[in-house]
Amino acid sequence: MRLTKFTDLALRAVMRLAVTAPEESVTTREVAESMDVPYAHMAKVVTRLQHLGVVEARRGRGGGLALTELGHRSSVGWLVRTLEGEEEVVACEGDPPCPLRTACRLRGALREAQEAFYRVLDPLTVAELVESPTGPLLLTLGPRPARSS
């Protein structure tokens, strides 16, 4: 199974915010730069995380992003399920539908494998993701130097 780029960015953003000190202010732009991704992509990710109640954004002077309590204790499995949606690994009912869909054993096996994937992620929290050595490394990330042509 492969995560979408959106989910990947969301997990990285949440991890970055999880190591931010409460008195520290981090902007969407700073998170995007530290992860070396375009600001517009990160802004969409942050908006979605806000809607989920995982990230809080404060506007104005001294504003910035903060991971909520829900964000810190969120299950990685829950986050991935929510961001990825409930779609199956294969599109048996696509256009055109697979001719094997009524008697296929692969579909069930892939569904089981997908659930096993989530079962491994379910007990893991965002707070646990940023334990050493990940957390200290996240704190060292900053804007990347401009690339020369």
Side-chain angles (χ1 to χ4, degrees):
M1 187 171 156
R2 185 177 180 100
L3 299 179
T4 61
K5 186 69 172 174
F6 188 88
T7 300
D8 175 36
L9 292 178
L11 291 171
R12 289 195 268 161
V14 166
M15 290 169 64
R16 174 58 184 92
L17 293 174
V19 296
T20 303
E23 67 279 356
E24 190 180 349
S25 178
V26 179
T27 66
T28 302
R29 186 165 309 282
E30 290 168 335
V31 173
E33 288 175 358
S34 71
M35 296 297 154
D36 200 22
V37 298
Y39 168 78
H41 293 343
M42 189 57 72
K44 290 176 188 172
V45 165
V46 166
T47 298
R48 178 77 168 110
L49 292 171
Q50 280 181 267
H51 287 135
L52 293 175
V54 173
V55 169
E56 174 186 53
R58 297 175 301 261
R59 292 188 172 274
R61 192 172 178 88
L65 304 174
L67 198 61
T68 64
E69 183 57 36
L70 171 65
H72 281 282
R73 58 180 164 71
S74 287
S75 156
V76 176
W78 172 79
L79 270 172
V80 172
R81 268 189 195 88
T82 303
L83 295 168
E84 289 288 312
E86 296 294 325
E87 292 188 25
E88 293 188 40
V89 177
V90 291
C92 302
E93 304 300 331
D95 186 28
C98 176
L100 303 175
R101 72 187 179 283
T102 58
C104 183
R105 296 181 67 201
L106 177 61
R107 184 179 191 178
L110 289 173
R111 189 178 302 119
E112 266 186 67
Q114 184 178 26
E115 281 309 308
F117 174 79
Y118 287 129
R119 273 194 304 278
V120 170
L121 295 177
D122 282 339
L124 184 63
T125 66
V126 171
E128 292 170 327
L129 277 182
V130 297
E131 290 174 355
S132 190
T134 307
L137 176 62
L138 283 163
L139 291 171
T140 68
L141 299 178
R144 303 285 195 265
R147 295 182 182 129
S148 57
S149 306

